[in-house]
Amino acid sequence: MSALEKSMHLGRLPSRPPLPGSGGSQSGAKMRMGPGRKRDFSPVSWSQYFESMEDVEVENETGKDTFRVYKSGSEGPVLLLLHGGGHSALSWAVFTAAIISRVQCRIVALDLRGHGEDVGNVVEAMYGDLPPPIMLIGHSMGGAIAVHTASCNLVPSLLGLCMIDVVEGTAMDALNSMQNFLRGRPKTFKSLENAIEWSVKSGQIRNLESARVSMVGQVKQCEGITSPEGSKSIVEGIIEEEEEDEEGSESVNKRKKEDDMETKKDHPYTWRIELAKTEKYWDGWFRGLSNLFLSCPIPKLLLLAGVDRLDKDLTIGQMQGKFQMQVLPQCGHAVHEDAPDKVAEAVATFLIRHRFAEPIGGFQCVFPGC
C-alpha cells in the first residue's frame, strides 16, 4: 500500500457532472482532450451525488460530538462507508452514484475521527436499538476501522464487511516512509482548483470527476482568510475539526506570524487534517489487522489495487476461501475513487450473491453462483 496515493440514474437528484471531454463516458475512464481543450478543475458540490446531508450528535463523557453524514437511497441494506486517513466522506461521492444504480441500498458516508467506537455510537444515534442490516465498507484507514468495529461487535445488525486496499503487512511497511511522503506534499494551495489539479496530476486521485468533489473535503481555508463567495456553497457541507495544541507548545515569534500571513494570502488553502500529528496511532490502526479480518464471522470482501499487496495471513485465508477477493489493476490507492464503477460492480455482485440486496436497472451479477 503506497501512502495515501493510492450510469447511474439519480432520480430526483441533479445529474452527475460529466467528465470534461468525455462524452458521458464511464467514471474513471481516461480522458482524451482535443486540441485546445482544457480539463475543468473547478470544485463540485456534494449535492450532485448525495440526496441529503445531516449532522449526527453523539453524547460522550464531556459533552457531545458531531459527525457529518451524507445519505442516499431509501430501501435495502445500509452501506456504511468509512473514508481513509486525511480524506472525508466526500471520497465516496462518485461510488455512491454508481452503486445506487445497481442495487437497492441505502448509503451513509460518515466523516469520522478514526475510532471504531465512533462508528457504533453514530449507528446507535441514527437508528436506536433496532438498526437496519448494515454492511461496513472502509478504505485504507477506514478499512481498518471497519474491521475493528466488526470485531468488537459494535454494529449488532452487521451483515457484511469490505476492506478496500488495506493489508496489514504492506500497511506496516508503508508506515516507515509515510512522513517522507507527507513532507513531499504541498503545504498550501492557491485555490480549490489548484488543489484539485495537484491531486490529479500527482496521481493521488486519478479520476478527475471524483477529485472535483473529494478534494473539497481534504483541504480548508487558512485561518483569517475570507472565503471567496463562489466557494461558499461548495465548502459549506464540511465540518471543521478542532485541533489540539501539543503540550508545551509556544507561540511563534512575530516575524514567523507575518511570514505565515503572507503565505496564506497567496496560498489560502491548506490540508484539513495534519496527518503527521496522528503518527502515534498508525501502528494501532494496522497491527493484527489481517487476523482480525479473517476472524470476523460474516461474509467478507477484499478489494485491492494489486495482488502484490497480499500478506501471508491473507494469502492463506484467501486460498482457504475465507473471503472473496478482487483485484482492480490500473488503480492507485484510492481504488473507489479511481474506478468507482468497477468497485460498485464488485460490491453489488457481493451483495446479490449473498442475497443481501436486490439488483435494479438491469444489473447482472457476474459472479458464479449468483
Side-chain angles (χ1 to χ4, degrees), residues 70-136:
Y70 300 87
K71 301 166 67 177
S72 284
S74 58
E75 297 182 65
V78 170
L79 306 187
L80 184 54
L81 310 179
L82 309 179
H83 61 80
H87 291 253
S88 78
L90 297 181
S91 68
W92 297 102
V94 185
F95 167 81
T96 292
I99 191 68
I100 287 289
S101 72
R102 288 167 166 80
V103 292
Q104 286 186 346
C105 64
R106 288 171 280 179
I107 293 294
V108 174
L110 169 65
D111 272 336
L112 76 163
R113 299 173 302 182
H115 307 290
E117 62 267 27
D118 289 341
V119 177
N121 291 337
V122 170
V123 168
E124 183 178 5
M126 291 182 68
Y127 302 111
D129 296 331
L130 295 173
I134 293 175
M135 179 175 176
L136 285 172

Side-chain angles (χ1 to χ4, degrees), residues 287-361:
R287 188 171 299 279
L289 181 63
S290 293
N291 283 323
L292 274 182
F293 176 70
L294 293 171
S295 68
C296 292
I298 51 176
K300 297 178 284 292
L301 174 64
L302 177 63
L303 300 179
L304 298 175
V307 70
D308 59 312
R309 287 162 166 77
L310 275 182
D311 59 20
K312 179 180 177 181
D313 290 331
L314 289 181
T315 299
I316 295 173
Q318 199 272 331
M319 294 175 65
Q320 294 173 339
K322 292 186 176 181
F323 60 92
Q324 180 182 333
M325 184 184 78
Q326 187 165 337
V327 177
L328 302 174
Q330 298 180 332
C331 293
H333 178 48
V335 180
H336 60 302
E337 296 199 62
D338 294 349
D341 288 308
K342 291 181 180 179
V343 173
E345 184 172 292
V347 172
T349 297
F350 178 84
L351 290 167
I352 296 170
R353 180 195 179 202
H354 290 283
R355 307 293 190 266
F356 294 153
E358 295 294 326
I360 60 175

